Amino acid sequence: TKNFVGECLELGVVLSLNSERVDKAVPFERFQDRLKNHVLKNYDKAEDVMCLVLDLQYPEADFEGKYAPTDLTKDEAKKTTKIKMWEMKAKLFLKMHETLHKNALKLFGTVLGQ
């Protein structure tokens, strides 16, 4: 495993234990920095998974609070235009949520491959 370069050659670094002798191994902070650059360059809506890379936190709670459409008031619920706009926001939110999960899986796969 000394010459292991990881599955994502673009990163140019690998994660390893201190006891492993791997040529491309780097400290975790440097790996995070390379991973951040890779994600920003290659992922749609990369900013939504950046907290996974930098803070090791899954963004679910922040995501819903940030993007989920708010409920319509009784008056708004009577207006066709407001209903249509809310439906469009809800569809966009679901699409963004799907992208978040796909990006998270893609990110986990990249990390595990390194």
Side-chain angles (χ1 to χ4, degrees):
T1 61
K2 181 174 174 30
N3 296 322
F4 181 69
V5 293
E7 291 179 12
C8 181
L9 299 177
E10 179 183 330
L11 285 177
V13 295
V14 296
L15 278 175
S16 69
L17 300 172
N18 288 337
S19 61
E20 295 177 308
R21 301 287 181 238
V22 180
D23 292 340
K24 297 277 185 183
V26 296
F28 183 71
E29 292 78 13
R30 186 163 170 219
F31 177 81
Q32 268 182 307
D33 189 52
R34 291 281 185 97
L35 187 60
K36 176 187 76 169
N37 292 335
H38 172 75
V39 169
L40 287 171
K41 221 165 60 172
N42 296 295
Y43 287 43
D44 290 333
K45 298 288 290 168
E47 65 276 8
D48 292 336
V49 290
M50 203 48 61
C51 58
L52 269 171
V53 175
L54 301 176
D55 305 324
L56 307 178
Q57 299 271 333
Y58 196 78
E60 188 74 34
D62 288 344
F63 186 84
E64 290 199 18
K66 193 174 178 181
Y67 298 114
T70 56
D71 291 337
L72 296 174
T73 64
K74 287 182 181 180
D75 288 337
E76 289 174 330
K78 295 175 186 175
K79 298 177 181 173
T80 307
T81 307
K82 292 288 186 180
I83 293 170
K84 293 287 185 195
M85 287 173 56
W86 187 91
E87 288 172 350
M88 290 172 62
K89 287 178 184 178
K91 285 179 185 178
L92 178 61
F93 172 72
L94 292 174
K95 181 70 175 158
M96 291 169 66
H97 201 261
E98 181 182 323
T99 301
L100 169 69
H101 286 291
K102 285 180 181 179
N103 280 345
L105 289 173
K106 189 175 170 181
L107 179 63
F108 290 140
T110 300
V111 171
L112 291 174
Q114 295 306 108

